[in-house]
mmCIF file of all heavy atoms in Angstrom:
data_model
loop_
_atom_site.group_PDB
_atom_site.id
_atom_site.type_symbol
_atom_site.label_atom_id
_atom_site.label_comp_id
_atom_site.label_asym_id
_atom_site.label_seq_id
_atom_site.Cartn_x
_atom_site.Cartn_y
_atom_site.Cartn_z
ATOM 1 N N PRO A 179 14.268 14.208 -9.029
ATOM 2 C CA PRO A 179 13.412 13.675 -10.054
ATOM 3 C C PRO A 179 12.005 14.332 -10.111
ATOM 4 O O PRO A 179 11.521 14.738 -9.044
ATOM 5 C CB PRO A 179 13.376 12.167 -9.885
ATOM 6 C CG PRO A 179 14.576 11.960 -9.029
ATOM 7 C CD PRO A 179 14.732 13.167 -8.159
ATOM 8 N N ARG A 180 11.311 14.331 -11.224
ATOM 9 C CA ARG A 180 9.979 14.836 -11.254
ATOM 10 C C ARG A 180 9.058 13.863 -10.606
ATOM 11 O O ARG A 180 9.196 12.675 -10.655
ATOM 12 C CB ARG A 180 9.565 14.995 -12.765
ATOM 13 C CG ARG A 180 8.287 15.674 -12.993
ATOM 14 C CD ARG A 180 8.130 16.111 -14.459
ATOM 15 N NE ARG A 180 8.197 14.961 -15.394
ATOM 16 C CZ ARG A 180 7.060 14.292 -15.728
ATOM 17 N NH1 ARG A 180 5.900 14.703 -15.314
ATOM 18 N NH2 ARG A 180 7.191 13.253 -16.555
ATOM 19 N N ARG A 181 8.115 14.438 -9.822
ATOM 20 C CA ARG A 181 7.135 13.663 -9.172
ATOM 21 C C ARG A 181 6.046 13.231 -10.091
ATOM 22 O O ARG A 181 4.993 13.879 -10.191
ATOM 23 C CB ARG A 181 6.579 14.504 -7.927
ATOM 24 C CG ARG A 181 7.357 14.348 -6.679
ATOM 25 C CD ARG A 181 6.722 15.075 -5.549
ATOM 26 N NE ARG A 181 7.052 14.683 -4.252
ATOM 27 C CZ ARG A 181 8.053 15.155 -3.511
ATOM 28 N NH1 ARG A 181 8.844 16.115 -4.077
ATOM 29 N NH2 ARG A 181 8.371 14.727 -2.260
ATOM 30 N N THR A 182 6.198 12.104 -10.747
ATOM 31 C CA THR A 182 5.290 11.586 -11.607
ATOM 32 C C THR A 182 4.144 10.805 -10.872
ATOM 33 O O THR A 182 4.281 10.626 -9.619
ATOM 34 C CB THR A 182 5.958 10.521 -12.639
ATOM 35 O OG1 THR A 182 6.733 9.615 -11.868
ATOM 36 C CG2 THR A 182 6.921 11.377 -13.541
ATOM 37 N N ASP A 183 3.131 10.410 -11.629
ATOM 38 C CA ASP A 183 2.013 9.730 -10.988
ATOM 39 C C ASP A 183 2.558 8.448 -10.271
ATOM 40 O O ASP A 183 3.223 7.653 -10.900
ATOM 41 C CB ASP A 183 0.967 9.405 -12.049
ATOM 42 C CG ASP A 183 -0.334 8.992 -11.458
ATOM 43 O OD1 ASP A 183 -0.412 8.394 -10.300
ATOM 44 O OD2 ASP A 183 -1.462 9.302 -11.962
ATOM 45 N N LEU A 184 2.155 8.187 -9.101
ATOM 46 C CA LEU A 184 2.567 6.996 -8.396
ATOM 47 C C LEU A 184 1.852 5.684 -8.917
ATOM 48 O O LEU A 184 2.450 4.615 -8.721
ATOM 49 C CB LEU A 184 2.185 7.122 -6.881
ATOM 50 C CG LEU A 184 3.091 8.129 -6.089
ATOM 51 C CD1 LEU A 184 2.452 8.340 -4.708
ATOM 52 C CD2 LEU A 184 4.494 7.648 -5.977
ATOM 53 N N ASN A 185 0.729 5.884 -9.586
ATOM 54 C CA ASN A 185 0.026 4.723 -10.106
ATOM 55 C C ASN A 185 -0.081 3.604 -9.124
ATOM 56 O O ASN A 185 0.304 2.406 -9.382
ATOM 57 C CB ASN A 185 0.704 4.198 -11.375
ATOM 58 C CG ASN A 185 0.633 5.199 -12.532
ATOM 59 O OD1 ASN A 185 -0.437 5.755 -12.763
ATOM 60 N ND2 ASN A 185 1.749 5.434 -13.197
ATOM 61 N N PRO A 186 -0.524 3.805 -7.911
ATOM 62 C CA PRO A 186 -0.631 2.741 -6.877
ATOM 63 C C PRO A 186 -1.662 1.741 -7.265
ATOM 64 O O PRO A 186 -2.758 2.060 -7.789
ATOM 65 C CB PRO A 186 -1.040 3.490 -5.610
ATOM 66 C CG PRO A 186 -1.833 4.768 -6.119
ATOM 67 C CD PRO A 186 -1.163 5.121 -7.435
ATOM 68 N N VAL A 187 -1.355 0.501 -6.981
ATOM 69 C CA VAL A 187 -2.308 -0.603 -7.205
ATOM 70 C C VAL A 187 -2.291 -1.582 -6.034
ATOM 71 O O VAL A 187 -1.144 -1.986 -5.467
ATOM 72 C CB VAL A 187 -1.820 -1.444 -8.416
ATOM 73 C CG1 VAL A 187 -2.735 -2.634 -8.614
ATOM 74 C CG2 VAL A 187 -1.808 -0.568 -9.703
ATOM 75 N N ILE A 188 -3.462 -1.808 -5.407
ATOM 76 C CA ILE A 188 -3.607 -2.759 -4.302
ATOM 77 C C ILE A 188 -3.991 -4.117 -4.945
ATOM 78 O O ILE A 188 -4.955 -4.263 -5.560
ATOM 79 C CB ILE A 188 -4.652 -2.301 -3.315
ATOM 80 C CG1 ILE A 188 -4.310 -0.904 -2.720
ATOM 81 C CG2 ILE A 188 -4.900 -3.345 -2.221
ATOM 82 C CD1 ILE A 188 -5.447 -0.263 -1.876
ATOM 83 N N THR A 189 -3.058 -5.083 -4.632
ATOM 84 C CA THR A 189 -3.214 -6.434 -5.314
ATOM 85 C C THR A 189 -3.918 -7.419 -4.395
ATOM 86 O O THR A 189 -4.257 -8.502 -4.829
ATOM 87 C CB THR A 189 -1.846 -6.896 -5.757
ATOM 88 O OG1 THR A 189 -1.006 -7.191 -4.645
ATOM 89 C CG2 THR A 189 -1.183 -5.961 -6.726
ATOM 90 N N GLY A 190 -4.068 -7.093 -3.059
ATOM 91 C CA GLY A 190 -4.657 -8.074 -2.201
ATOM 92 C C GLY A 190 -4.726 -7.494 -0.819
ATOM 93 O O GLY A 190 -4.034 -6.507 -0.445
ATOM 94 N N THR A 191 -5.622 -8.074 0.001
ATOM 95 C CA THR A 191 -5.846 -7.555 1.396
ATOM 96 C C THR A 191 -5.954 -8.860 2.295
ATOM 97 O O THR A 191 -6.456 -9.896 1.952
ATOM 98 C CB THR A 191 -7.148 -6.815 1.494
ATOM 99 O OG1 THR A 191 -7.096 -5.676 0.643
ATOM 100 C CG2 THR A 191 -7.315 -6.366 2.880
ATOM 101 N N ILE A 192 -5.297 -8.692 3.486
ATOM 102 C CA ILE A 192 -5.409 -9.726 4.577
ATOM 103 C C ILE A 192 -6.125 -9.052 5.729
ATOM 104 O O ILE A 192 -5.678 -8.066 6.211
ATOM 105 C CB ILE A 192 -4.046 -10.238 4.914
ATOM 106 C CG1 ILE A 192 -3.272 -10.721 3.734
ATOM 107 C CG2 ILE A 192 -4.160 -11.294 5.995
ATOM 108 C CD1 ILE A 192 -1.815 -11.056 4.033
ATOM 109 N N GLU A 193 -7.194 -9.727 6.179
ATOM 110 C CA GLU A 193 -7.940 -9.248 7.340
ATOM 111 C C GLU A 193 -7.552 -10.098 8.521
ATOM 112 O O GLU A 193 -7.717 -11.336 8.529
ATOM 113 C CB GLU A 193 -9.386 -9.294 7.035
ATOM 114 C CG GLU A 193 -9.904 -8.366 5.953
ATOM 115 C CD GLU A 193 -10.004 -6.864 6.362
ATOM 116 O OE1 GLU A 193 -9.821 -6.633 7.620
ATOM 117 O OE2 GLU A 193 -10.320 -6.096 5.508
ATOM 118 N N ARG A 194 -7.180 -9.407 9.633
ATOM 119 C CA ARG A 194 -7.076 -10.025 10.946
ATOM 120 C C ARG A 194 -8.067 -9.316 11.944
ATOM 121 O O ARG A 194 -8.532 -8.318 11.667
ATOM 122 C CB ARG A 194 -5.609 -9.999 11.451
ATOM 123 C CG ARG A 194 -4.661 -10.851 10.588
ATOM 124 C CD ARG A 194 -4.996 -12.351 10.800
ATOM 125 N NE ARG A 194 -4.115 -13.216 10.004
ATOM 126 C CZ ARG A 194 -3.148 -13.867 10.454
ATOM 127 N NH1 ARG A 194 -2.783 -13.801 11.731
ATOM 128 N NH2 ARG A 194 -2.449 -14.669 9.700
ATOM 129 N N ASP A 195 -8.090 -9.961 13.127
ATOM 130 C CA ASP A 195 -9.064 -9.350 14.100
ATOM 131 C C ASP A 195 -8.696 -7.884 14.547
ATOM 132 O O ASP A 195 -9.575 -7.065 14.601
ATOM 133 C CB ASP A 195 -9.076 -10.209 15.378
ATOM 134 C CG ASP A 195 -9.798 -11.524 15.151
ATOM 135 O OD1 ASP A 195 -10.549 -11.614 14.225
ATOM 136 O OD2 ASP A 195 -9.566 -12.444 15.987
ATOM 137 N N ASP A 196 -7.444 -7.584 14.603
ATOM 138 C CA ASP A 196 -7.011 -6.266 15.122
ATOM 139 C C ASP A 196 -6.170 -5.451 14.133
ATOM 140 O O ASP A 196 -5.730 -4.399 14.486
ATOM 141 C CB ASP A 196 -6.233 -6.433 16.440
ATOM 142 C CG ASP A 196 -5.188 -7.490 16.452
ATOM 143 O OD1 ASP A 196 -5.031 -8.195 15.294
ATOM 144 O OD2 ASP A 196 -4.455 -7.712 17.411
ATOM 145 N N PHE A 197 -6.000 -5.937 12.901
ATOM 146 C CA PHE A 197 -5.334 -5.100 11.838
ATOM 147 C C PHE A 197 -5.583 -5.649 10.523
ATOM 148 O O PHE A 197 -6.110 -6.744 10.361
ATOM 149 C CB PHE A 197 -3.780 -5.143 12.130
ATOM 150 C CG PHE A 197 -3.119 -6.385 11.925
ATOM 151 C CD1 PHE A 197 -2.534 -6.731 10.687
ATOM 152 C CD2 PHE A 197 -3.001 -7.387 12.989
ATOM 153 C CE1 PHE A 197 -1.891 -7.944 10.509
ATOM 154 C CE2 PHE A 197 -2.351 -8.545 12.805
ATOM 155 C CZ PHE A 197 -1.760 -8.876 11.555
ATOM 156 N N ARG A 198 -5.296 -4.847 9.533
ATOM 157 C CA ARG A 198 -5.503 -5.209 8.118
ATOM 158 C C ARG A 198 -4.207 -4.965 7.312
ATOM 159 O O ARG A 198 -3.543 -3.973 7.617
ATOM 160 C CB ARG A 198 -6.661 -4.420 7.554
ATOM 161 C CG ARG A 198 -6.985 -4.765 6.094
ATOM 162 C CD ARG A 198 -8.255 -4.138 5.565
ATOM 163 N NE ARG A 198 -7.991 -2.784 5.046
ATOM 164 C CZ ARG A 198 -8.342 -1.637 5.694
ATOM 165 N NH1 ARG A 198 -8.904 -1.711 6.807
ATOM 166 N NH2 ARG A 198 -8.064 -0.474 5.078
ATOM 167 N N VAL A 199 -3.967 -5.812 6.386
ATOM 168 C CA VAL A 199 -2.706 -5.573 5.535
ATOM 169 C C VAL A 199 -3.182 -5.430 4.056
ATOM 170 O O VAL A 199 -3.985 -6.231 3.579
ATOM 171 C CB VAL A 199 -1.761 -6.822 5.681
ATOM 172 C CG1 VAL A 199 -0.457 -6.463 4.920
ATOM 173 C CG2 VAL A 199 -1.441 -7.175 7.110
ATOM 174 N N GLU A 200 -2.627 -4.419 3.400
ATOM 175 C CA GLU A 200 -2.875 -4.300 1.977
ATOM 176 C C GLU A 200 -1.627 -4.515 1.259
ATOM 177 O O GLU A 200 -0.549 -3.922 1.667
ATOM 178 C CB GLU A 200 -3.408 -2.850 1.685
ATOM 179 C CG GLU A 200 -4.745 -2.590 2.224
ATOM 180 C CD GLU A 200 -5.360 -1.270 1.849
ATOM 181 O OE1 GLU A 200 -4.552 -0.447 1.244
ATOM 182 O OE2 GLU A 200 -6.506 -0.970 2.201
ATOM 183 N N LYS A 201 -1.618 -5.363 0.247
ATOM 184 C CA LYS A 201 -0.467 -5.662 -0.519
ATOM 185 C C LYS A 201 -0.514 -4.716 -1.770
ATOM 186 O O LYS A 201 -1.522 -4.707 -2.463
ATOM 187 C CB LYS A 201 -0.413 -7.119 -0.955
ATOM 188 C CG LYS A 201 -0.343 -8.100 0.221
ATOM 189 C CD LYS A 201 -0.360 -9.553 -0.188
ATOM 190 C CE LYS A 201 -1.697 -9.971 -0.573
ATOM 191 N NZ LYS A 201 -1.816 -11.494 -0.842
ATOM 192 N N LEU A 202 0.512 -3.958 -1.990
ATOM 193 C CA LEU A 202 0.386 -2.924 -3.004
ATOM 194 C C LEU A 202 1.764 -2.632 -3.631
ATOM 195 O O LEU A 202 2.825 -3.058 -3.121
ATOM 196 C CB LEU A 202 -0.166 -1.580 -2.327
ATOM 197 C CG LEU A 202 0.687 -0.933 -1.284
ATOM 198 C CD1 LEU A 202 1.591 0.134 -1.899
ATOM 199 C CD2 LEU A 202 -0.156 -0.330 -0.226
ATOM 200 N N HIS A 203 1.682 -1.929 -4.787
ATOM 201 C CA HIS A 203 2.880 -1.334 -5.372
ATOM 202 C C HIS A 203 2.639 -0.039 -5.941
ATOM 203 O O HIS A 203 1.435 0.340 -6.202
ATOM 204 C CB HIS A 203 3.400 -2.377 -6.483
ATOM 205 C CG HIS A 203 2.452 -2.558 -7.639
ATOM 206 N ND1 HIS A 203 2.348 -1.682 -8.670
ATOM 207 C CD2 HIS A 203 1.731 -3.634 -7.903
ATOM 208 C CE1 HIS A 203 1.479 -2.118 -9.508
ATOM 209 N NE2 HIS A 203 1.064 -3.365 -9.128
ATOM 210 N N PHE A 204 3.604 0.755 -6.069
ATOM 211 C CA PHE A 204 3.560 2.068 -6.702
ATOM 212 C C PHE A 204 4.853 2.321 -7.497
ATOM 213 O O PHE A 204 5.818 1.525 -7.349
ATOM 214 C CB PHE A 204 3.280 3.243 -5.714
ATOM 215 C CG PHE A 204 4.365 3.397 -4.619
ATOM 216 C CD1 PHE A 204 5.504 4.168 -4.858
ATOM 217 C CD2 PHE A 204 4.297 2.809 -3.390
ATOM 218 C CE1 PHE A 204 6.501 4.354 -3.933
ATOM 219 C CE2 PHE A 204 5.266 2.929 -2.423
ATOM 220 C CZ PHE A 204 6.348 3.764 -2.733
ATOM 221 N N GLN A 205 4.853 3.343 -8.307
ATOM 222 C CA GLN A 205 5.993 3.604 -9.087
ATOM 223 C C GLN A 205 6.600 4.947 -8.685
ATOM 224 O O GLN A 205 5.997 6.005 -8.888
ATOM 225 C CB GLN A 205 5.600 3.579 -10.592
ATOM 226 C CG GLN A 205 5.141 2.292 -11.105
ATOM 227 C CD GLN A 205 4.698 2.341 -12.599
ATOM 228 O OE1 GLN A 205 5.482 2.776 -13.498
ATOM 229 N NE2 GLN A 205 3.445 1.878 -12.777
ATOM 230 N N SER A 206 7.779 4.936 -8.116
ATOM 231 C CA SER A 206 8.368 6.240 -7.664
ATOM 232 C C SER A 206 8.800 7.134 -8.879
ATOM 233 O O SER A 206 8.950 8.318 -8.656
ATOM 234 C CB SER A 206 9.580 5.914 -6.769
ATOM 235 O OG SER A 206 10.565 5.233 -7.546
ATOM 236 N N ARG A 207 9.033 6.535 -9.966
ATOM 237 C CA ARG A 207 9.128 7.164 -11.285
ATOM 238 C C ARG A 207 8.713 6.080 -12.317
ATOM 239 O O ARG A 207 8.651 4.917 -11.929
ATOM 240 C CB ARG A 207 10.538 7.733 -11.534
ATOM 241 C CG ARG A 207 11.697 6.741 -11.375
ATOM 242 C CD ARG A 207 13.017 7.432 -11.405
ATOM 243 N NE ARG A 207 13.503 7.673 -12.749
ATOM 244 C CZ ARG A 207 14.657 8.293 -13.041
ATOM 245 N NH1 ARG A 207 15.412 8.737 -11.998
ATOM 246 N NH2 ARG A 207 15.061 8.384 -14.262
ATOM 247 N N PRO A 208 8.451 6.394 -13.512
ATOM 248 C CA PRO A 208 7.890 5.398 -14.376
ATOM 249 C C PRO A 208 8.742 4.143 -14.512
ATOM 250 O O PRO A 208 9.919 4.249 -14.804
ATOM 251 C CB PRO A 208 7.798 6.145 -15.713
ATOM 252 C CG PRO A 208 7.585 7.533 -15.321
ATOM 253 C CD PRO A 208 8.366 7.754 -14.114
ATOM 254 N N GLY A 209 8.121 3.002 -14.218
ATOM 255 C CA GLY A 209 8.858 1.751 -14.285
ATOM 256 C C GLY A 209 9.672 1.373 -13.076
ATOM 257 O O GLY A 209 10.143 0.224 -12.903
ATOM 258 N N LEU A 210 9.870 2.348 -12.122
ATOM 259 C CA LEU A 210 10.610 2.043 -10.888
ATOM 260 C C LEU A 210 9.600 1.645 -9.836
ATOM 261 O O LEU A 210 9.120 2.406 -9.036
ATOM 262 C CB LEU A 210 11.436 3.220 -10.465
ATOM 263 C CG LEU A 210 12.331 3.101 -9.212
ATOM 264 C CD1 LEU A 210 13.321 1.963 -9.477
ATOM 265 C CD2 LEU A 210 13.136 4.350 -8.902
ATOM 266 N N TYR A 211 9.249 0.340 -9.845
ATOM 267 C CA TYR A 211 8.229 -0.192 -8.985
ATOM 268 C C TYR A 211 8.782 -0.386 -7.562
ATOM 269 O O TYR A 211 9.888 -0.785 -7.338
ATOM 270 C CB TYR A 211 7.821 -1.560 -9.491
ATOM 271 C CG TYR A 211 6.933 -1.509 -10.687
ATOM 272 C CD1 TYR A 211 7.509 -1.524 -12.015
ATOM 273 C CD2 TYR A 211 5.520 -1.434 -10.677
ATOM 274 C CE1 TYR A 211 6.669 -1.449 -13.140
ATOM 275 C CE2 TYR A 211 4.736 -1.404 -11.741
ATOM 276 C CZ TYR A 211 5.345 -1.419 -12.963
ATOM 277 O OH TYR A 211 4.548 -1.412 -14.178
ATOM 278 N N VAL A 212 7.911 -0.061 -6.598
ATOM 279 C CA VAL A 212 8.168 -0.197 -5.200
ATOM 280 C C VAL A 212 7.091 -1.113 -4.618
ATOM 281 O O VAL A 212 5.930 -0.719 -4.662
ATOM 282 C CB VAL A 212 8.190 1.084 -4.403
ATOM 283 C CG1 VAL A 212 8.498 0.810 -2.921
ATOM 284 C CG2 VAL A 212 9.213 2.083 -4.998
ATOM 285 N N THR A 213 7.430 -2.350 -4.210
ATOM 286 C CA THR A 213 6.540 -3.225 -3.642
ATOM 287 C C THR A 213 6.385 -2.998 -2.129
ATOM 288 O O THR A 213 7.456 -2.720 -1.481
ATOM 289 C CB THR A 213 6.841 -4.712 -3.897
ATOM 290 O OG1 THR A 213 8.345 -4.858 -3.747
ATOM 291 C CG2 THR A 213 6.519 -5.057 -5.385
ATOM 292 N N ALA A 214 5.233 -3.078 -1.587
ATOM 293 C CA ALA A 214 5.040 -2.661 -0.181
ATOM 294 C C ALA A 214 3.892 -3.460 0.438
ATOM 295 O O ALA A 214 2.989 -3.994 -0.266
ATOM 296 C CB ALA A 214 4.756 -1.164 -0.108
ATOM 297 N N ASN A 215 3.842 -3.375 1.773
ATOM 298 C CA ASN A 215 2.708 -3.834 2.614
ATOM 299 C C ASN A 215 2.255 -2.684 3.507
ATOM 300 O O ASN A 215 3.160 -2.093 4.158
ATOM 301 C CB ASN A 215 3.074 -5.031 3.404
ATOM 302 C CG ASN A 215 3.323 -6.342 2.519
ATOM 303 O OD1 ASN A 215 4.214 -7.160 2.922
ATOM 304 N ND2 ASN A 215 2.686 -6.482 1.432
ATOM 305 N N LEU A 216 1.015 -2.387 3.412
ATOM 306 C CA LEU A 216 0.461 -1.405 4.347
ATOM 307 C C LEU A 216 -0.260 -2.012 5.449
ATOM 308 O O LEU A 216 -1.257 -2.714 5.164
ATOM 309 C CB LEU A 216 -0.355 -0.391 3.588
ATOM 310 C CG LEU A 216 -0.984 0.789 4.270
ATOM 311 C CD1 LEU A 216 0.138 1.732 4.738
ATOM 312 C CD2 LEU A 216 -2.026 1.480 3.496
ATOM 313 N N TYR A 217 0.062 -1.728 6.679
ATOM 314 C CA TYR A 217 -0.542 -2.225 7.905
ATOM 315 C C TYR A 217 -1.451 -1.137 8.503
ATOM 316 O O TYR A 217 -0.962 -0.095 8.787
ATOM 317 C CB TYR A 217 0.474 -2.740 8.962
ATOM 318 C CG TYR A 217 1.236 -3.941 8.396
ATOM 319 C CD1 TYR A 217 2.346 -3.764 7.497
ATOM 320 C CD2 TYR A 217 0.957 -5.202 8.832
ATOM 321 C CE1 TYR A 217 2.998 -4.852 7.051
ATOM 322 C CE2 TYR A 217 1.712 -6.274 8.356
ATOM 323 C CZ TYR A 217 2.763 -6.107 7.428
ATOM 324 O OH TYR A 217 3.431 -7.182 6.995
ATOM 325 N N LEU A 218 -2.721 -1.564 8.779
ATOM 326 C CA LEU A 218 -3.733 -0.570 9.205
ATOM 327 C C LEU A 218 -4.447 -1.042 10.468
ATOM 328 O O LEU A 218 -4.811 -2.273 10.560
ATOM 329 C CB LEU A 218 -4.759 -0.331 8.095
ATOM 330 C CG LEU A 218 -4.298 0.255 6.802
ATOM 331 C CD1 LEU A 218 -5.130 -0.191 5.636
ATOM 332 C CD2 LEU A 218 -4.223 1.769 6.893
ATOM 333 N N PRO A 219 -4.582 -0.165 11.436
ATOM 334 C CA PRO A 219 -5.366 -0.596 12.645
ATOM 335 C C PRO A 219 -6.814 -0.868 12.297
ATOM 336 O O PRO A 219 -7.359 -0.240 11.442
ATOM 337 C CB PRO A 219 -5.206 0.615 13.513
ATOM 338 C CG PRO A 219 -4.225 1.530 12.932
ATOM 339 C CD PRO A 219 -4.180 1.272 11.480
ATOM 340 N N SER A 220 -7.432 -1.820 13.019
ATOM 341 C CA SER A 220 -8.870 -2.059 12.769
ATOM 342 C C SER A 220 -9.685 -1.978 14.048
ATOM 343 O O SER A 220 -10.891 -2.259 13.984
ATOM 344 C CB SER A 220 -8.997 -3.454 12.098
ATOM 345 O OG SER A 220 -8.441 -4.500 12.914
ATOM 346 N N LYS A 221 -9.126 -1.694 15.164
ATOM 347 C CA LYS A 221 -9.840 -1.575 16.443
ATOM 348 C C LYS A 221 -9.676 -0.247 17.203
ATOM 349 O O LYS A 221 -10.160 -0.111 18.294
ATOM 350 C CB LYS A 221 -9.428 -2.701 17.385
ATOM 351 C CG LYS A 221 -9.905 -4.057 17.053
ATOM 352 C CD LYS A 221 -9.637 -5.108 18.107
ATOM 353 C CE LYS A 221 -10.339 -6.415 17.817
ATOM 354 N NZ LYS A 221 -10.027 -7.407 18.962
ATOM 355 N N GLN A 222 -9.152 0.713 16.444
ATOM 356 C CA GLN A 222 -8.840 2.009 17.106
ATOM 357 C C GLN A 222 -9.661 3.201 16.455
ATOM 358 O O GLN A 222 -9.230 4.330 16.471
ATOM 359 C CB GLN A 222 -7.345 2.367 17.022
ATOM 360 C CG GLN A 222 -6.505 1.492 18.018
ATOM 361 C CD GLN A 222 -6.095 0.187 17.472
ATOM 362 O OE1 GLN A 222 -6.363 -0.062 16.248
ATOM 363 N NE2 GLN A 222 -5.394 -0.655 18.186
ATOM 364 N N GLY A 223 -10.715 2.854 15.745
ATOM 365 C CA GLY A 223 -11.460 3.866 15.090
ATOM 366 C C GLY A 223 -11.070 4.092 13.693
ATOM 367 O O GLY A 223 -10.372 3.262 13.127
ATOM 368 N N GLU A 224 -11.493 5.160 13.067
ATOM 369 C CA GLU A 224 -11.227 5.428 11.644
ATOM 370 C C GLU A 224 -9.966 6.369 11.417
ATOM 371 O O GLU A 224 -9.610 6.485 10.245
ATOM 372 C CB GLU A 224 -12.479 6.064 10.993
ATOM 373 C CG GLU A 224 -13.715 5.161 10.997
ATOM 374 C CD GLU A 224 -14.912 5.874 10.450
ATOM 375 O OE1 GLU A 224 -14.716 6.989 10.002
ATOM 376 O OE2 GLU A 224 -15.918 5.208 10.267
ATOM 377 N N GLY A 225 -9.467 6.860 12.453
ATOM 378 C CA GLY A 225 -8.289 7.692 12.260
ATOM 379 C C GLY A 225 -8.714 9.208 11.990
ATOM 380 O O GLY A 225 -9.823 9.542 12.273
#
């Protein structure tokens, strides 16, 4: 399939002492929504 714009949207964030969670969705093709949670380190530097 054609790689169309993902149109990612972050709908919320959860902060914990040692990690952060972003609640998000993107579209793998128009209208094909993928809901996801992104877990990010918060005590290991910036990457």
Side-chain angles (χ1 to χ4, degrees):
R180 190 164 60 92
R181 273 183 159 90
T182 52
D183 195 328
L184 289 169
N185 295 313
V187 176
I188 297 170
T189 66
T191 302
I192 304 173
E193 295 282 355
R194 291 294 178 101
D195 289 342
D196 47 358
F197 67 93
R198 183 173 86 254
V199 187
E200 292 181 357
K201 299 179 284 186
L202 63 95
H203 61 79
F204 61 86
Q205 297 176 54
S206 65
R207 53 191 276 178
L210 185 55
Y211 286 88
V212 181
T213 42
N215 294 146
L216 181 68
Y217 293 79
L218 297 151
S220 58
K221 284 189 174 180
Q222 288 87 3
E224 296 182 356

